[in-house]
Amino acid sequence: MRIGVLASGSGSNLQAILDACASRAIPAQVAVVICNVADAKALQRAEAARVPALLLPHQKVVSREEYDRQVVTALQKHSVDVVCLAGFMRLITPVLLGAYKDRILNIHPSLLPAFPGLHAVRQALAAGVRVSGCTVHVVDEGTDTGPILIQAAVPVLEGDTEETLAARILLQEHRCYPRAVALWAAGRVRIESGRVRVQGAAGRADRTIASPELSD
Ligand code: GAR
């Protein structure tokens, strides 16, 4: 399986996927990394891993659709089977969605459907939630609304700032995203009636993730 990663920033999730491919925890390879920001660290990470790295700045492209056409051309040139959005801070259009229908994954720093869109960690702090986390989902036409594949929860601690909570969530993202892609690469993910079904996954009804106050 060939993965195309779209990123805009630091690329730490890209790195987690690259590392998991290198260790064969993900039985697949990253075929291309596409980035819309010239100085994004994600590009350096791709180059260090000897993966084709493509800078596609969006500023001079006339429309979102035209931009996505260029993305699709690049993905197809590298024979990409599945697309991973890894901190890609652009809305995607039906052009990309249609070319890779039900084959685009995204990671988002909240327990969706709570706090979709921009500044998810800031939204969670503003709402006063005691538990937050991250979600890997299949992308559909909505903003962060697609079928959920994996989630992990973290506590929100007294005195947390956007930075401290985002860092705690990011650690879980680095566990969740490679795991989700590995399940995908193993052909274990099905979408049925708008829900993800992971084949061969036993239910774990005995496990509870709870906010820390519950164990006092
Ligand atoms: C991650 O926290 C990811 O969940 C978030 O951007 C960060 C990228 O970090 N994505 C979104 O907010 C998308 N709505 P990274 O560049 O180090 O992987």
Side-chain angles (χ1 to χ4, degrees):
M1 190 184 82
R2 294 171 66 80
I3 305 166
V5 179
L6 272 52
S8 301
S10 155
S12 68
N13 279 291
L14 161 68
Q15 190 67 56
I17 292 170
L18 287 167
D19 292 348
C21 289
S23 72
R24 302 304 292 163
I26 298 176
Q29 70 179 98
V30 178
V32 64
V33 173
I34 300 173
C35 193
N36 63 321
V37 178
D39 58 357
K41 198 171 167 197
L43 284 171
Q44 296 162 30
R45 293 183 192 269
E47 281 158 12
R50 293 182 172 28
V51 167
L54 182 63
L55 171 64
L56 268 185
H58 56 269
Q59 290 86 352
K60 287 188 184 152
V61 181
V62 291
S63 66
R64 287 188 185 280
E65 287 75 14
E66 176 52 28
Y67 185 84
D68 280 3
R69 259 189 283 281
Q70 294 183 15
V71 169
V72 169
T73 300
L75 293 169
Q76 289 175 343
K77 181 178 160 213
H78 290 276
S79 304
V80 163
D81 303 300
V82 63
V83 179
C84 292
L85 308 182
F88 187 60
M89 299 315 240
R90 281 183 65 78
L91 292 176
I92 66 170
T93 72
V95 173
L96 176 52
L97 270 172
Y100 282 90
K101 184 169 168 44
D102 288 344
R103 291 187 293 152
I104 305 175
L105 304 180
N106 181 43
I107 187 144
H108 184 77
S110 76
L111 292 175
L112 291 171
F115 315 126
L118 288 176
H119 308 304
V121 177
R122 195 182 304 171
Q123 292 184 58
L125 284 173
V129 295
R130 310 304 302 273
V131 176
S132 191
C134 63
T135 303
V136 180
H137 66 96
V138 182
V139 175
D140 66 8
E141 43 293 316
T143 301
D144 302 321
T145 54
I148 291 171
L149 214 171
I150 286 189
Q151 294 184 301
V154 303
V156 179
L157 301 178
E158 205 60 43
D160 258 341
T161 62
E162 200 174 336
E163 288 70 32
T164 59
L165 179 55
R168 191 174 309 119
I169 292 171
L170 197 59
L171 288 177
Q172 297 306 314
E173 294 186 32
H174 299 160
R175 294 176 60 220
C176 288
Y177 216 171
R179 179 72 184 139
V181 179
L183 290 169
W184 193 279
R188 291 177 56 189
V189 179
R190 293 277 176 278
I191 301 170
E192 292 172 10
S193 310
R195 297 275 169 92
V196 166
R197 181 175 298 278
V198 179
Q199 299 191 327
R204 300 225 182 117
D206 55 323
R207 287 236 202 133
T208 307
I209 299 173
S211 54
E213 292 77 8
L214 269 187
S215 51
D216 277 356

